[in-house]
Amino acid sequence: ALRAPPARRAASLAVSPAAGPADERVETRVAGLSPGQPVTLRAVAADDRGCLFQSCAHYRADRRGELHLGTDASHGGDYTGVEPMGLFWSLAPAGMEKPYQRLVPRGTGAPIKVEVLVHEGHSPPGAMPGPVVAKAEVQRLFTAPGVRRIRLKEGVVRGSLFLPPGDGPFPGVLDMYGDEGGLIEFRSSLLATHGFAALSLPYFDFEDLPRVMKELKLEYFEEAARFLQRHPKVKGPGVGVIGTGKGAELALSMITFLPEVVAAVSISGCSSNTIADLRYGEMTLPGLRFDMNKVSVSDAGVFDIFEALDDPANPANSPCVIPIEKAEGHFLLVVGEDDRMWKSSLYAELAIKRLRQHGKENFELLSYPGAGHRIDPPSTPFCQVALDRVLGVPVLGGGESKAHAHAQEHSWGKIQEFLHLHLG
């Protein structure tokens, strides 16, 4: 009699938790494969405008026909090595989509849904993958249950206040992004998930705020800091501020001039005021300028603006320097050593030199080799080149995906520790 071949067990994929905070790790396990079987794992997600993002990696099942992304290495695809969250941080626009887009949520109410698929065989990125043998969906949440989002129209201040569940009071943090403008909320909502009262603060190109960043008045930021500090759910006496790019530099100015602000996290910031003049009462800090003649453009049309900002160390530019030695509070400087937007490593050195010259040691530096410009919360997909909203062209942000992903994960924990330490 003919013996039937042994029945193949069905492969299964488990990703847990199936729904959890977007900045936390998931465990990904595959079972039911043949021993040593080659498979391609893919992740697919869409942003809120329907743009498709995907990533892939090549694995081999172990002797038991199992795979665990926490301990097993990828041998190819979009990343190699043991990277439990590699499929998430390497998500990039699919082939038919416009390149250089970022997968960051516009709003924070809806999760980003990621489908994880297991395909037979090893297929290179962009190629047609083999048959699907297992799949699962994961939801990455930006707002924990019970977090409240309150839209602000408080005097001149605009934005969104995110409050953790419970009575509080909570440490208060103002959160700002860079010269792309508008309201960017996902970091604030994740901070609220971790127990901070976080105010996502836009400063131009939102509602009735100025359309473009011509000159900025520190009074606007002062009003926001006072609003947060006086909020019944906010622990006093001082508040913190976290900023990226232009927002980092504003954070440095706020802790320097505003007594309400006692802790500042500067991510990829400059130690001088840039681009737009900053006014406060009778005082003006002029902005360093960009020299468009120092911009280079690659054959692929990618703009490299690394050399374009005026040199803050040039004595002629000393009026632009933020006098951070006047700050009573504490600084956390976070930089990627491969930032190609501008020289954030150098700017951090200049800031530290200035503090030390005045006998101050009220700072901590986190400097990451191989990380680029926008160091966001963990698993935010790495984007080496991003479309600049102001210039309307792709601009090089620098970095290498794996090093950048590790910097995001490490700095996020350190940022929270720093804010808890100085805000209670």
Side-chain angles (χ1 to χ4, degrees):
L2 280 174
R3 295 251 299 278
R8 278 274 312 269
R9 295 186 289 162
S12 64
L13 168 67
V15 187
S16 61
D23 58 344
E24 288 185 11
R25 279 187 174 194
V26 295
E27 285 236 333
T28 306
R29 291 175 184 271
V30 186
L33 301 171
S34 322
Q37 184 180 346
V39 287
T40 298
L41 265 68
R42 278 176 72 229
V44 183
D47 70 7
D48 25 30
R49 285 167 301 180
C51 171
L52 209 61
F53 291 76
Q54 57 183 11
S55 61
C56 77
H58 300 162
Y59 288 93
R60 281 186 188 280
D62 65 14
R63 293 192 314 274
R64 296 188 308 273
E66 293 177 5
L67 257 185
H68 177 25
L69 266 51
T71 51
D72 293 327
S74 161
H75 305 291
D78 291 319
Y79 62 90
T80 55
V82 178
E83 293 294 335
M85 295 302 292
L87 287 170
F88 293 82
W89 55 248
S90 60
L91 282 164
M96 67 280 196
E97 299 289 358
K98 279 204 207 82
Y100 313 133
Q101 302 193 70
R102 288 186 191 285
L103 179 58
V104 287
R106 307 238 138 203
T108 53
I112 286 185
K113 293 184 179 139
V114 183
E115 187 167 38
V116 182
L117 305 125
V118 183
H119 296 268
E120 278 179 26
H122 286 167
S123 45
M128 269 302 287
V132 175
V133 294
K135 58 182 185 177
E137 190 185 76
V138 195
Q139 298 196 10
R140 308 289 283 159
L141 312 171
F142 290 88
T143 309
V147 168
R148 296 212 331 243
R149 173 179 176 267
I150 300 154
R151 283 300 299 277
L152 277 201
K153 280 207 169 174
E154 192 66 40
V156 294
V157 179
R158 299 292 172 264
S160 296
L161 175 62
F162 290 87
L163 293 174
D167 296 334
F170 307 103
V173 182
L174 298 127
D175 175 20
M176 299 174 298
Y177 270 91
D179 56 10
E180 65 268 43
L183 177 65
I184 300 178
E185 298 177 312
F186 74 102
R187 184 165 61 195
S188 300
S189 61
L190 287 173
L191 283 168
T193 294
H194 290 284
F196 295 92
L199 169 53
S200 183
L201 186 66
Y203 47 96
F204 71 102
D205 197 18
F206 179 70
E207 291 184 358
D208 54 359
L209 295 173
R211 288 283 305 144
V212 291
M213 190 171 63
K214 274 210 280 281
E215 65 160 34
L216 293 167
K217 292 188 168 64
L218 199 62
E219 282 84 356
Y220 172 79
F221 302 91
E222 180 174 52
E223 199 172 318
R226 286 181 176 165
F227 163 79
L228 188 62
Q229 186 201 25
R230 293 173 185 156
H231 194 282
K233 291 262 187 195
V234 172
K235 221 186 236 183
V239 296
V241 56
I242 178 171
T244 297
K246 178 70 191 176
E249 172 198 311
L250 285 163
L252 297 181
S253 293
M254 289 167 73
I255 193 172
T256 297
F257 297 110
L258 308 178
E260 296 83 0
V261 178
V262 299
V265 179
S266 159
I267 301 172
S268 312
C270 185
S271 46
S272 292
N273 185 52
T274 67
I275 309 160
D277 294 356
L278 180 68
R279 300 189 191 284
Y280 186 45
E282 299 296 295
M283 180 208 73
T284 299
L285 279 185
L288 291 177
R289 302 288 175 213
F290 271 107
D291 178 353
M292 290 313 278
N293 295 320
K294 291 188 182 158
V295 172
S296 62
V297 186
S298 76
D299 294 344
V302 173
F303 283 58
D304 182 342
I305 62 174
F306 188 63
E307 296 290 346
L309 187 68
D310 289 347
D311 178 8
N314 178 343
N317 294 323
S318 61
C320 305
V321 174
I322 303 164
I324 53 173
E325 69 280 355
K326 295 185 171 154
E328 292 295 320
H330 290 262
F331 297 90
L332 177 61
L333 308 170
V334 181
V335 296
E337 292 172 21
D338 193 28
D339 184 347
R340 294 292 302 178
M341 278 299 235
W342 59 11
K343 303 174 184 181
S344 49
S345 287
L346 169 71
Y347 305 154
E349 270 170 48
L350 292 174
I352 287 170
K353 195 166 128 190
R354 189 172 180 104
L355 290 170
R356 287 209 164 122
Q357 278 167 348
H358 291 86
K360 298 213 139 177
E361 287 290 333
N362 55 340
F363 62 86
E364 242 182 291
L365 171 67
L366 297 175
S367 183
Y368 296 100
H373 183 69
R374 252 186 69 159
I375 298 174
D376 272 325
S379 305
T380 302
F382 171 68
C383 195
Q384 191 182 41
V385 174
L387 219 47
D388 187 280
R389 254 190 43 153
V390 184
L391 301 171
V393 296
V395 173
L396 186 60
E400 179 278 310
S401 59
K402 188 188 291 200
H404 192 89
H406 292 180
Q408 291 193 147
E409 184 152 0
H410 184 263
S411 61
W412 186 234
K414 291 289 187 195
I415 286 166
Q416 292 175 57
E417 277 171 34
F418 169 84
L419 291 170
H420 275 303
L421 180 65
H422 297 295
L423 303 174

